[in-house]
Amino acid sequence: MRHRKKDEVSTHYEVLEVSENASKEEISKAFRRLAKKWHPDRNKSAESEEKFKRINEAYRTLRDERKRNEYDAGLGIDCKKDGFAHKDTGNENITLENFLRVFGKRKQKN
């Protein structure tokens, strides 16, 4: 996991403090730990509400396998099991079927 400057946007993995290949159990455990730490009812700091929202958003995305695969594909993380075979911006192995599944089919004109 690479470290970012304070003003840079973090990935969902960084928000939950887990690796990109974390299991569902690791993601759930991290969520529970961070939600307890940053819940606005327990943490009265000015930043707690925003951090809690980001933790929830990250968890909702990473706990759902379909959403996680789509999120990972957007980050350039290896998602070979869904037909994506890239780790950086080289998207040459994405099939049309997978592209349409992720981004939706266009409505055809009659």
Side-chain angles (χ1 to χ4, degrees):
M1 192 177 334
R2 79 181 186 98
H3 297 283
R4 297 177 186 267
K5 294 178 185 174
K6 188 173 182 171
D7 59 340
E8 286 186 86
V9 176
S10 299
T11 67
H12 288 336
Y13 295 101
E14 291 168 331
V15 169
L16 292 179
E17 301 173 1
V18 296
S19 70
E20 293 170 348
N21 59 354
S23 68
K24 285 185 178 186
E25 293 79 22
E26 291 170 315
I27 290 168
S28 293
K29 185 177 179 180
F31 168 74
R32 286 189 300 274
R33 177 179 53 81
L34 292 168
K36 186 183 291 187
K37 176 180 178 179
W38 290 103
H39 193 284
D41 289 344
R42 297 187 78 176
N43 185 326
K44 300 301 181 186
S45 70
E47 63 191 352
S48 67
E49 186 174 346
E50 186 59 36
K51 284 191 179 246
F52 187 72
K53 286 178 184 178
R54 296 212 52 224
I55 291 163
N56 274 308
E57 178 185 351
Y59 180 65
R60 282 195 311 270
T61 300
L62 297 181
R63 74 176 180 190
D64 181 284
E65 189 172 343
R66 182 188 57 80
K67 289 180 185 178
R68 183 177 181 178
N69 287 335
E70 290 173 6
Y71 179 79
D72 288 350
L75 290 177
I77 297 171
D78 189 12
C79 299
K80 290 182 181 174
K81 66 182 177 181
D82 281 338
F84 295 95
H86 64 281
K87 283 193 176 268
D88 34 35
T89 58
N91 297 333
E92 58 273 356
N93 293 325
I94 296 176
T95 65
L96 178 60
E97 177 183 322
N98 286 329
F99 179 84
L100 293 174
R101 181 174 47 79
V102 171
F103 296 104
K105 295 181 181 177
R106 290 179 50 190
K107 293 182 181 179
Q108 295 182 356
K109 296 179 183 178
N110 289 335

